[in-house]
């Protein structure tokens, strides 16, 4: 097998662990400050518990040229930031033709989707969910359960990631833990 052309690795479908990757990164609480429903809660938590990891990403990078795909696994740890369930930053793809596939491997949560026209949708993302995200939709995942939420993703290498708009205005809605139940409310910052 020519390793430059083919990638064939073991993927533990129960625990969501990939045997090999080229890049691992994590996002800590402090890095979600601008994205959070209540940034005061971020500061409060950092004072109490320190700056801990909210999610980690294991990625198989590929050259950024047409036809190539980047894929990997994201693991969101359970927890809340104030009332808000742990979540990924969320982003638009710069290239609006670049869709993405998410496959739920472990745990449960919600995917938030929105386009630039203000259309907003949520989809359940749990073990066994397969979600196709058309290129124009920003996407964020929220872990609403008390275990790790793990999903596989795959997208065209030329997609590009735009976090700025989400950082500034967020998603139309946020998912809060209200009396123990995931509750979707309007985001006042949007
Ligand atoms: C995923 C995400 C990953 C982390 O690979 O990049 O889950 O989420 P954020 O990038 O929103 O922090 C993806 O959607 N790539 O396009
Ligand atoms: Zn994406």
């Amino acid at each position: 097998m020519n390793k430059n052309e083919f990638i064939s690795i073991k993927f533990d479908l129960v625990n969501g662990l990939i045997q090999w990757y080229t890049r691992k990164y994590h996002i800590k609480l402090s890095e979600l400050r601008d994205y959070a429903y209540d940034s005061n809660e971020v500061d409060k938590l950092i004072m109490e518990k320190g700056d801990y990891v909210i999610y980690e990403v294991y990625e198989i990078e590929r050259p950024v040229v047409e036809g190539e795909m980047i894929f990997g696994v994201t693991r969101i740890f359970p927890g809340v930031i104030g009332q808000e369930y742990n979540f990924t930053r969320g982003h638009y793809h710069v290239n609006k033709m670049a869709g993405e596939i998410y496959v739920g491997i472990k745990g449960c949560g919600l995917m938030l989707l929105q386009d630039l026209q203000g259309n907003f949708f949520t989809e359940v993302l749990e073990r066994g969910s397969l979600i196709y995200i058309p290129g124009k939709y920003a996407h964020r995942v929220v872990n609403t359960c008390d275990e790790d939420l793990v999903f596989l993703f795959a997208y065209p290498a030329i997609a590009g990631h735009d976090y700025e708009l989400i950082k500034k205005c967020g998603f139309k809605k946020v998912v809060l833990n209200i009396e123990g139940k995931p509750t979707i409310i309007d985001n006042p910052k949007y």
Side-chain angles (χ1 to χ4, degrees):
M1 183 172 86
N2 181 346
K3 272 281 176 196
N4 293 323
E5 288 183 22
F6 301 107
I7 297 169
S8 175
I9 56 173
K10 290 287 173 216
F11 182 25
D12 176 343
L13 285 169
V14 175
N15 301 302
L17 300 170
I18 45 174
Q19 175 199 29
W20 182 82
Y21 46 86
T22 62
R23 177 186 181 214
K24 178 187 175 187
Y25 67 92
H26 57 238
I27 298 293
K28 287 186 177 177
L29 184 55
S30 60
E31 293 167 272
L32 290 183
R33 193 176 188 282
D34 293 339
Y35 298 86
Y37 170 63
D38 187 347
S39 51
N40 293 325
E41 293 290 346
V42 173
D43 298 336
K44 226 165 78 184
L45 263 181
I46 293 174
M47 292 285 278
E48 278 169 26
K49 298 186 179 174
D51 193 11
Y52 56 90
V53 174
I54 302 287
Y55 62 98
E56 52 190 29
V57 182
Y58 299 81
E59 203 167 68
I60 291 152
E61 299 159 296
R62 296 295 302 159
V64 180
V65 294
E66 200 153 348
E68 284 285 357
M69 294 185 74
I70 294 174
F71 56 101
V73 168
T74 300
R75 176 178 295 267
I76 312 175
F77 298 110
V80 283
I81 302 165
Q83 286 183 298
E84 187 174 24
Y85 289 103
N86 286 355
F87 60 90
T88 59
R89 292 168 295 178
H91 55 266
Y92 285 94
H93 289 173
V94 176
N95 182 345
K96 297 284 182 284
M97 297 301 286
E100 184 158 0
I101 285 171
Y102 275 34
V103 180
I105 306 294
K106 186 178 164 60
C108 49
L110 288 173
M111 178 183 281
L112 312 186
L113 297 145
Q114 74 186 21
D115 66 12
L116 291 167
Q117 281 69 50
N119 298 304
F120 176 88
F121 307 94
T122 62
E123 290 293 334
V124 169
L125 179 63
E126 59 190 9
R127 180 171 172 77
S129 302
L130 166 59
I131 302 178
Y132 171 68
I133 308 156
K136 65 176 187 165
Y137 287 97
H139 39 287
R140 163 179 287 174
V141 175
V142 183
N143 183 351
T144 56
C145 295
D146 55 10
E147 61 173 319
D148 294 358
L149 173 55
V150 184
F151 59 87
L152 179 88
F153 59 80
Y155 61 93
I158 57 166
H161 294 81
D162 177 3
Y163 293 96
E164 289 314 307
L165 209 53
I166 301 297
K167 203 189 247 185
K168 208 166 131 209
C169 312
F171 279 75
K172 216 169 178 178
K173 311 232 176 216
V174 292
V175 188
L176 304 185
N177 176 333
I178 296 176
E179 292 171 7
K181 280 203 195 115
T183 308
I184 300 167
I185 65 151
D186 287 342
N187 176 9
K189 268 201 272 186
Y190 180 78

